[in-house]
């Protein structure tokens, strides 16, 4: 029965921490352009939320010399579920140990991926309680829709760059019960990219091979994504981004994998942010067979129709590789 | 642990059967207007599917004197999950027993709601395998998008009319692990309407009080819904419906509950069909507190903004009440 | 030849003046909610523009005891065209005389409708020149898209209430060269409503019979409209309106006449504002036969599908009729 | 006065003729995929219309060895306007002479561009009268919206390739009263591309320098465009195109020039077809100053944001250049 339970033990992605060498620029981007609000500010970190996010914050922005991933945080389905997953993480060797918590949540168990991406899993977390000024008559919405910027709705997922995609697949599927929705498979049968889910959406967490470096353990971030909910929104925010001097790397276009529509933009700190339009398809089938794309189908898998993606999309990540010839 | 598992034991709504006194008209509606395809025809029944539906069919249309619900079919998360739910259904008194199966699926366990709505739960079911002519290059789509009618994507949910909403709440939450997403609560604290989910969407199954009759056990159908995925589609299909003489009862508009956009139309057999535009919000929080609307908020709960709903929306269902003064 | 020229002599609607008893509320609505910017403030008047408007302003808001129409301003196609139209207006008896101009434009010739709606026609007018902060890289856009509120694109048209629809038809078609796009015709063959155009859009100016009063010469305003450009935008601004306590009277829905999608909301000064989504169809045919709707088709003409319009839509205007039983 | 009238003398683009070496494939594309209906078939030609087109047809498809432009047809604003324009065309040397007419229209005056594109201008033309089966309750729509394919609404414009852009500018502005909306200007001050209008839309006719050949007088077609009306439609038809084996060359994306959203696809005869989503902005200002883009802004002018356009977009046209290295 425990094996049956495992695949339901992780409930959701709750928040991410990113690093930025330009904290004012990054905060401006998420607040003034993407309409997020600041819920706390402590030390070198600012805490932000989108109007549909469930908890106190979904994004922690921390000042550092280099952009990149701080950590990702997942919530278990229950206290028991958390205990089971921590036990397995400890056994697996990926576990680090408990931290006391952070603004908006209680104790969290930390672990690392084979690439040194820092992760945490937790149970105790604070639901957002809107102050009077942010309260809405739409009872199932935690916060009034902002009238500043072009507001995103909620954090959706992240894609991480990896020198060991198979190691990540084993870690997240075996120890944490993630399910494989789609993957791109190389000629030798190993995975080039894996799209993992814990909910009915196609992905909360994606790993793709890091072709931009030979170095291991860099734990690079490809992008993280916020949801709008339809394609029209992408064309409108793209105008705003362009008019405000922000670089759109690719899109709006439609992904083959996940069938979502999307655009990619660099926030002023240098991290790639995906804005999600159409939410694509959902997976309900408990016997789902992962959809398999071959390496020569990568373009179609990423971009179902339209112009080719720029080379930078396949190489760049944060932190950037200093010696790289691939800087734009 | 079994208690922990229960809320994951039902995975999804797989298909519905409806009755129609006008089988040709009903089939024309779903095939020529909503772009569904026929996958089988046996006896008095036609089997239909939308292009994103997972299994062999999502709609069975059966000829009868009166329109109404035939049955609804849910799939368990595993063989073990099915066994657990059947055991509890048997204990509860709602269980009927096993049937051998039907086109596209194996053995199914039947049970009834307090209102005599016929239900089934199953595990063995056939995934749709598209013939050459229906195959698509979009690998995660089971069937090519049709170029006939204005095609819906998939079956989404149904709303049933009930003389015992509390009884249904108990049955589906206690015996089947459904979760309550939102509800409308009367002054006496009992439920006027309950929105139940087994996935991350807000509802697969809804019960609302049947105010159109004093008779019990009629097992009336309020509507069942197919998804488009955005609001723009609703305006386009509404033109097609209107130009083809089909009556739109209400919408397009936006629901407060679920935040979806929607329109309601009567198919030629007399059943109310909802067409879903924007899919609304998803629920990930494992400690979700059901959103509560009071009786005097019903209008806002159903229609978040815009013109009032017609009286018929609150009274009509299928089968229709013969003596009713409420016929349009 | 002059007769041939007449129908091209008026080029466009340039701006409107409205009265408001609540100047702060009205300015808040157009600036904070609809994203317009203030270009001038003189005496009791505030001048506002939307980001696609061509000239210095498209809306002048003036404080008064009662809400209603200040005036509408049309631009001629050339200096000669203006002279020709003024000459005919003078002959017609509708003419009043020249004013020196206002902020953003030069001399304008004033005239009145049979209902005492004040109108002006002009040639000399100032194109908007964006200051550095409002400049955009989108070269064909006069002003950067705002990131405050949910910004409308441009002023589109107005509907006026009339006790003499035929008199208005004669005035605008005979003296000013307006063309009739669509009309609703009573059983006696006279017009209940007329949709007039000077461009390829279906209407810049609409007159409908004022059923809310028996008094003549009140010059009431039914609504004036700003464009978004697609239906999705209407659902988003409707959320914002509702969350900010603004009353949506009707919509979003689709008009039969003009095929546009639309919603109606009252600004805090009491005037009805239409927000236009889908811009509908354009008229290119130089032999266009006005589309004729009979009186019993009014509902379909106004609202092509969906729920019925509230009674207030057919009766209310500004200024409101004091003794009316029709106040909401 | 005649000079004042000239700029209103041409009212609209009415239809186009294209050549195809694959008449069955081309007809299949426009009928089964783009939802146009056949209104006549004579000799080697098929006549087609979209559901919002005003006249008997908007597209004539004629079998030939090579794809390319047959002719474009414009309608004058009146019989007098036609006479004035024919008189000027005769004087200019571009005129050829009168033809008796074709299916759906009367006498037409033919002329050629400096590149040998064949053009005609006419007055007498037949409005489409829908047979019973195509009649709609939407009174301002000439034909019921089809339920086959993903139907376009109406013909919008064409872009022609030219070795003498300045010559075309002179011909269409001086002899026919077209107005210049936007242009791309080379360092030497001459035009690389001109966007011409006769209505309030940004363009009915576009000329761009033909860089794909040194040969003159080929009269090549870059593309012609049909309108949908919103961006969402483009994503849906793009799926259908891709699933049906049709090559999308670029898009969906947003143009800088015109602000429309768009995609480009090759019909089976080899001609490039543009599908128009968002209709962009309209021009009302009678003193409009053409928007000027420099040569190094070409990419932004064509594609306001997103991935770069493929090389083929700038070189390919029909008829194709046999010796070209630019074939896909």
């Amino acid at each position: 029965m425990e094996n049956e339970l495992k695949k339901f033990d992780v409930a959701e992605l709750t928040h991410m921490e990113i690093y930025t060498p330009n904290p004012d620029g990054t905060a401006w981007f998420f607040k003034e352009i993407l309409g997020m609000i600041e819920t706390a500010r402590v030390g070198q970190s600012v805490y932000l939320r989108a109007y549909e996010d469930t908890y106190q914050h979904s994004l922690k922005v921390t000042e550092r010399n280099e952009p990149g991933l701080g950590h990702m945080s997942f919530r278990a389905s229950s206290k028991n579920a958390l205990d089971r997953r921590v036990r397995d993480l400890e056994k697996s060797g990926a576990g680090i140990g408990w931290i006391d918590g952070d603004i908006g949540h209680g104790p969290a168990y930390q672990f690392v991926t084979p690439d040194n991406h820092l992760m945490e899993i937790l149970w105790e977390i604070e639901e957002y309680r809107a102050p009077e000024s942010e309260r809405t008559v739409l009872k199932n919405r935690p916060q009034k829709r902002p009238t500043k910027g072009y507001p995103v709705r909620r954090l959706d997922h992240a894609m991480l760059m990896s020198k060991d995609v198979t190691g990540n697949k084993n870690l997240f599927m075996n120890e944490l019960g993630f399910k494989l929705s789609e993957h791109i498979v190389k000629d030798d049968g190993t995975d080039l990219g894996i799209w993992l889910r814990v909910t009915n959406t196609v992905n909360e967490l994606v790993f793709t091979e890091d072709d931009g470096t030979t170095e291991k353990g860099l734990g690079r971030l490809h992008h993280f994504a916020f949801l709008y909910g339809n394609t029209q929104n992408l064309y409108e925010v793209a105008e705003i981004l362009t008019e405000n001097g922000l670089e759109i790397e690719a899109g709006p276009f439609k992904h083959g994998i996940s069938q979502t529509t999307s655009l990619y933009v660099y926030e002023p700190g240098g991290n790639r942010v995906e804005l999600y339009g159409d939410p694509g398809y959902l997976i309900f089938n408990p016997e789902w067979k992962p959809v398999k794309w071959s390496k020569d189908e990568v373009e179609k898998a990423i971009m179902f129709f339209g112009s080719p993606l720029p080379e930078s999309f396949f190489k760049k990540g944060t932190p950037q590789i200093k010696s790289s010839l691939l800087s734009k």
Side-chain angles (χ1 to χ4, degrees), chain A:
Chain A
M1 252 185 212
E2 186 166 317
N3 217 40
E4 279 188 84
L5 265 173
K6 187 170 69 180
K7 64 174 177 289
F8 305 112
D9 274 353
V10 180
E12 55 176 333
L13 169 63
T14 60
H15 63 262
M16 300 191 58
E17 181 187 28
I18 58 159
Y19 296 138
T20 175
N22 178 4
D24 290 346
T26 299
W28 165 84
F29 174 77
F30 287 106
K31 290 164 69 176
E32 302 299 318
I33 303 296
L34 299 194
M36 296 178 77
I37 63 169
E38 185 177 318
T39 53
R41 184 177 283 254
V42 178
Q44 298 307 95
S45 297
V46 180
Y47 298 76
L48 301 164
R49 57 173 280 109
Y51 68 99
E52 263 195 21
D53 283 322
T54 306
Y55 306 111
Q56 195 264 352
H57 67 276
S58 63
L59 184 63
K60 178 181 180 180
V61 174
T62 298
E63 185 173 3
R64 278 284 171 104
N65 288 339
E66 293 291 329
L69 175 71
H71 73 278
M72 290 182 72
S73 179
F74 292 90
R75 191 181 187 196
S77 293
S78 65
K79 180 69 176 72
N80 287 342
L82 177 61
D83 293 343
R84 286 190 292 265
R85 289 312 104 223
V86 168
R87 189 202 54 209
D88 285 359
L89 283 168
E90 279 171 343
K91 275 193 234 157
S92 76
I96 297 179
W98 290 91
I99 58 166
D100 284 347
D102 193 355
I103 300 225
H105 69 82
Y109 185 81
Q110 291 187 318
F111 62 101
V112 286
T113 70
D115 299 282
N116 280 326
H117 300 102
L118 182 63
M119 300 278 159
E120 70 182 27
I121 181 167
L122 53 76
W123 169 244
E124 288 173 36
I125 189 165
E126 209 177 291
E127 289 178 19
Y128 178 69
R129 292 281 164 245
E132 191 59 43
S133 62
E134 303 289 353
R135 225 160 270 164
T136 166
V137 289
L138 192 44
K139 294 192 155 194
N140 43 22
R141 175 174 287 174
Q143 175 195 321
K144 199 164 147 177
R145 180 181 172 132
T147 53
K148 196 160 65 171
Y150 200 79
V152 291
R153 286 167 56 189
R154 62 168 171 79
L155 178 64
D156 190 88
H157 72 271
M159 180 189 275
L160 305 180
M161 299 173 87
S162 172
K163 301 302 291 180
D164 182 7
V165 174
T166 301
N168 277 298
K169 187 178 174 181
N170 292 337
L171 172 61
F172 283 91
M173 294 184 73
N174 297 345
E175 313 307 334
L176 289 154
F178 280 60
K179 285 149 270 181
L180 183 63
S181 299
E182 308 203 24
H183 53 155
I184 301 173
V185 180
K186 292 186 283 192
D187 293 344
D188 66 5
T190 61
D191 288 309
L192 183 70
I194 53 173
W195 277 254
L196 298 167
R197 77 181 182 282
V198 291
T199 69
N200 296 118
T201 70
V202 170
N203 50 234
E204 279 82 32
L205 184 56
V206 183
F207 289 95
T208 54
E209 204 168 85
D210 190 343
D211 288 337
T213 177
T214 54
E215 213 175 326
K216 290 186 181 179
L218 291 180
R220 297 214 294 163
L221 171 66
H222 188 273
H223 70 264
F224 59 110
F226 287 91
L227 178 76
Y228 277 117
N230 65 67
T231 304
Q232 178 61 35
N233 293 163
L234 293 186
Y235 280 81
E236 305 199 10
V237 76
E239 281 191 4
I240 290 171
L241 295 170
T242 305
E243 288 191 318
N244 285 280
L246 292 152
E247 184 205 356
I248 295 173
E249 183 184 38
F253 64 71
K254 184 186 181 82
H255 287 304
I257 290 175
S258 81
Q259 299 183 21
T260 49
T261 58
S262 145
L263 72 80
Y264 294 92
V265 61
Y266 289 99
E267 54 87 13
N271 294 294
R272 189 191 278 107
V273 176
E274 181 176 15
L275 300 176
Y276 241 36
D278 186 305
Y281 75 98
L282 297 176
I283 298 177
F284 303 114
N285 180 356
E287 291 187 297
W288 179 260
K289 281 114 197 137
V291 176
K292 192 171 163 179
W293 305 77
S294 66
K295 198 176 172 176
D296 59 359
E297 294 170 323
V298 168
E299 285 272 356
K300 202 155 218 67
I302 302 298
M303 182 142 144
F304 186 55
F305 43 68
S307 318
L309 287 164
E311 182 70 8
S312 63
F313 183 81
F314 296 99
K315 303 289 183 179
K316 283 184 72 172
T318 47
Q320 288 195 43
I321 308 306
K322 283 292 182 261
S323 61
S324 176
L325 299 173
L326 295 159
S327 57
K328 318 169 267 150

